[in-house]
Amino acid sequence: MPKNAIVIGAGIAGLAAAIRLKAKGYDVTVFEANDYAGGKLHSETSNGFRFDMGPSLFTMPWLVDDLFKLHQKNPKDYFTYHRKQTVCNYFWEDGTSFSAPADSEQFITDAVSCFGETADDIQTYLDGNRQKYGLTKSLFLEKSLHRASTYWSKDTVKAISKIGGMGISKSLDQWNSQHFRNPKMVQLFNRYATYNGSSPYRTPGIMSMIPHLEMDLGTYFPKGGMHRISQSLYQLAQDLDVTFHFNEAVEEIVVENKRIAGIRTHRDYYPTQVAVSNMDIVPTYRRLLPNEKHPEKTLQQERSSSALIFYWGINHTFDHLDLHNILFSEDYQQEFDHIFNKKTLYKDPTVYINITSKEETSDAPPKMENWFVMVNAPGNHGQSWEELQASAREHILQKIHRTLGVDLKPMIVTELVLDPVGIEERTHSHLGALYGAASNTKFSAFLRHPNFSRKLKGLYFCGGSVHPGGGIPLCLLSAKIATDFIPES
Ligand code: FAD
């Protein structure tokens, strides 16, 4: 008879953990507080427009494919995607614009002509990013940092011996400024700090490996939109007979003699000896394990940035925009100072515009577009979000007018809004952080919570708030690392 295992939360990592536990022979039950699977990977429609509510950028799609292959299924029967030829369109207020090609040779040619950098300098920078990624991925992304065995491998010793030359003691901004003269080029590469919700003025230079993910490994668009990622995994889990309990939040993890005995919800008590929490690590301890000793140092780490997003249905089309577009702030440093230090929004924000109807025409009515308009925001520290939303809306519209020369306000025919409070309420993300803890120090990677409990036998963790971090690919890897610790049923 198979043993049972419980997963708390049906976010992308919880779904992946359930699928992996099934492959280990467990009878798996997932408890989800919401009435849908996917967590932050969720979609809504309004007046004929479809919006992906959370992630918009998809990298490393093979990590999704792996879950289908694990069960001898053809991923294409569930989920398809294509590689984007343009990574992102960048705009500055002085009229400069740059459309970043996915092909790195073309990127160099175009960047030389737009920013006046030399081809050699750009090539050296990109080669360095590739090397950093190659050296560190197995240590930081694919293994637990919390088991001695990780440090015995040849790869790890090599990575650690080279870490000093990877910009670990400089900020990403210092690292990029050392490589490029043109402040716009520096800004373009600084923006990758936001991929883990950090500040380029504080996150270490080793983070320059992130552009490698986009520029060499590629950016992708899933057919049907980002939401298809979570929905296809939900479908797979259903086909594998994983049981889902929606609208049933876990209220307590029951512990007996330092091992997991079961979980309690408002409906019932469910015994189990194996539980994987996909819930943010802070509320997992504070709410579900109030009587256990908490790893305070980990729980009190600075959180990543959050976001304020306007989902606008626009009754117009814009040929010079693509799937991913960025309108840069004139003072990036001030913007991050406002987000991380002043805990407020800057009057001249960097505006990210994602338009999935460029790829999927059915996402908007004919001759219209669905704009996901996001600014980075501080976490929810009790600010007056109603006021911040109202002023940010004006600042964003002014920014679009100054940069693209468009008066967008009269073109908005439908609007939804999500702020850090909404993100926190919908997914229990502590302070509404997008990516768990921030990576604003050189030790951040080592301070993330492990994928298992050191104190409670049978308790494991996956998702954006634990090792190796937030974002879809890392969440999928967290589910693998966590379930690799769990013996076969
Ligand atoms: P979540 O998606 O937060 O899921 C956790 C689940 O647990 C939720 O469904 C929640 O309801 C449930 N839960 C919580 N408590 C309980 C309980 N007590 N009982 C039962 N269930 C519970 N990543 C990218 O890769 N690319 C991007 O472009 C990108 N952009 C983003 C933009 C936005 C606006 C946001 C919000 C996030 C973005 N991210 C992006 C980050 C990415 O969405 C997350 O890192 C990832 O989806 C987190 O997945 P998860 O499984 O850890 O958790």
Side-chain angles (χ1 to χ4, degrees):
M1 190 119 145
K3 289 187 197 151
N4 79 327
I6 283 176
V7 177
I8 304 169
I12 185 81
L15 290 168
I19 291 164
R20 288 189 175 277
L21 284 169
K22 204 70 199 178
K24 293 204 149 193
Y26 284 87
D27 195 0
V28 185
T29 307
V30 180
F31 289 86
E32 168 52 53
N34 290 321
D35 60 2
Y36 55 84
K40 296 186 177 73
L41 261 164
H42 185 51
S43 163
E44 287 187 18
T45 52
S46 175
N47 293 328
F49 295 89
R50 190 196 69 84
F51 297 101
D52 282 312
M53 301 303 282
S56 51
L57 176 74
F58 185 35
T59 52
M60 302 172 86
W62 47 90
L63 296 176
V64 179
D65 291 346
D66 285 351
L67 294 165
F68 296 98
K69 291 181 189 159
L70 188 64
H71 291 276
Q72 291 76 48
K73 307 263 188 198
N74 181 356
K76 291 196 170 60
D77 290 343
Y78 290 81
F79 172 65
T80 55
Y81 48 84
H82 64 266
R83 189 169 178 166
K84 284 285 298 161
Q85 294 311 310
T86 302
V87 170
C88 187
N89 283 351
Y90 298 99
F91 300 88
W92 286 265
E93 282 192 23
D94 66 1
T96 307
S97 67
F98 180 66
S99 182
D103 177 77
S104 58
E105 274 180 35
Q106 193 61 49
F107 177 92
I108 293 173
T109 309
D110 294 358
V112 166
S113 101
C114 182
F115 301 108
E117 301 286 347
T118 70
D120 279 353
D121 282 349
I122 304 174
Q123 187 73 63
T124 306
Y125 179 79
L126 298 181
D127 288 348
N129 298 350
R130 187 178 307 114
Q131 276 162 13
K132 276 182 199 171
Y133 179 78
L135 276 167
T136 55
K137 80 171 165 140
S138 86
L139 171 61
F140 287 108
L141 303 184
E142 293 172 353
K143 291 182 188 158
S144 172
L145 285 175
H146 309 89
R147 283 281 155 104
S149 55
T150 297
Y151 298 91
W152 294 341
S153 83
K154 227 168 82 184
D155 284 355
T156 304
V157 173
K158 195 169 162 198
I160 290 176
S161 70
K162 302 226 165 177
I163 227 161
M166 292 188 200
I168 193 96
S169 300
K170 294 185 158 66
S171 71
L172 181 64
D173 173 65
Q174 286 167 335
W175 181 259
N176 291 338
S177 303
Q178 193 178 300
H179 283 81
F180 301 116
R181 281 169 295 273
N182 187 325
K184 290 191 173 70
M185 191 80 175
V186 173
Q187 192 173 25
L188 189 154
F189 282 109
N190 275 357
R191 85 162 177 104
Y192 287 94
T194 65
Y195 280 37
N196 56 28
S198 305
S199 162
Y201 303 95
R202 289 172 56 202
T203 201
I206 193 171
M207 293 299 169
S208 68
M209 75 173 80
I210 300 176
H212 167 75
L213 288 181
E214 240 188 43
M215 300 178 66
D216 281 355
L217 304 184
T219 63
Y220 298 81
F221 185 78
K223 172 126 196 59
M226 296 296 285
H227 188 224
R228 282 300 307 151
I229 303 171
S230 53
Q231 291 318 292
S232 64
L233 292 181
Y234 175 49
Q235 183 62 54
L236 172 64
Q238 282 182 305
D239 291 352
L240 298 172
D241 290 330
V242 171
T243 306
F244 285 86
H245 290 224
F246 289 108
N247 291 315
E248 193 168 354
V250 174
E251 292 174 350
E252 184 187 356
I253 297 175
V254 180
V255 176
E256 282 170 13
N257 299 324
K258 295 287 164 207
R259 70 165 303 141
I260 301 306
I263 58 114
R264 201 181 300 284
T265 72
H266 70 280
R267 285 209 188 108
D268 218 334
Y269 171 70
Y270 302 85
T272 188
Q273 297 205 325
V274 175
V276 181
S277 178
N278 172 216
M279 187 183 186
D280 188 302
I281 194 72
V282 177
T284 298
Y285 276 101
R286 303 277 193 238
R287 291 188 217 163
L288 307 192
L289 292 163
N291 302 320
E292 299 300 319
K293 192 167 165 20
H294 294 178
E296 287 304 331
K297 205 169 166 194
T298 301
L299 302 192
Q300 284 173 20
Q301 270 194 88
E302 182 184 26
R303 307 302 280 183
S304 81
S305 55
S306 186
L308 173 60
I309 309 121
F310 294 91
Y311 308 85
W312 284 332
I314 303 289
N315 67 2
H316 200 85
T317 56
F318 294 86
D319 290 343
H320 59 310
L321 298 181
D322 195 52
L323 175 65
H324 303 291
N325 311 276
I326 288 182
L327 282 44
F328 272 119
S329 172
E330 292 290 287
D331 194 336
Y332 218 29
Q333 193 151 7
Q334 274 293 332
E335 184 179 7
F336 283 95
D337 183 46
H338 277 68
I339 295 169
F340 283 101
N341 301 329
K342 300 189 171 122
K343 311 263 184 268
T344 189
L345 296 167
Y346 184 47
K347 62 180 190 277
D348 175 26
T350 296
V351 178
Y352 167 66
I353 305 170
N354 176 254
I355 312 173
T356 64
S357 58
K358 297 279 185 198
E359 305 288 327
E360 207 65 68
T361 49
S362 62
D363 281 354
K367 301 203 174 107
M368 300 197 192
E369 291 180 348
N370 64 337
W371 283 33
F372 164 114
V373 181
M374 180 175 113
V375 294
N376 292 309
N380 174 30
H381 296 274
Q383 302 92 323
S384 167
W385 285 104
E386 218 172 296
E387 278 170 34
L388 284 174
Q389 252 187 45
S391 60
R393 191 180 193 275
E394 285 313 306
H395 291 149
I396 290 170
L397 289 167
Q398 288 161 12
K399 181 81 186 169
I400 291 171
H401 188 250
R402 287 198 304 274
T403 315
L404 301 178
V406 174
D407 182 12
L408 200 74
K409 207 179 219 170
M411 300 176 191
I412 301 172
V413 294
T414 192
E415 177 175 84
L416 303 172
V417 188
L418 187 62
D419 66 12
V421 178
I423 295 170
E424 188 169 18
E425 278 172 4
R426 282 170 182 227
T427 57
H428 297 267
S429 251
H430 185 50
L431 306 181
L434 303 192
Y435 302 97
S439 295
N440 276 338
T441 76
K442 57 183 166 185
F443 304 112
S444 304
F446 296 94
L447 290 173
R448 281 182 182 272
H449 197 284
N451 303 93
F452 58 91
S453 166
R454 293 184 202 275
K455 307 258 185 231
L456 305 173
K457 202 160 172 7
L459 180 58
Y460 302 87
F461 305 96
C462 65
S465 67
V466 296
H467 177 71
I472 297 165
L474 271 55
C475 286
L476 292 170
L477 288 167
S478 78
K480 177 163 189 322
I481 299 169
T483 54
D484 278 353
F485 283 121
I486 302 173
E488 305 267 328
S489 162

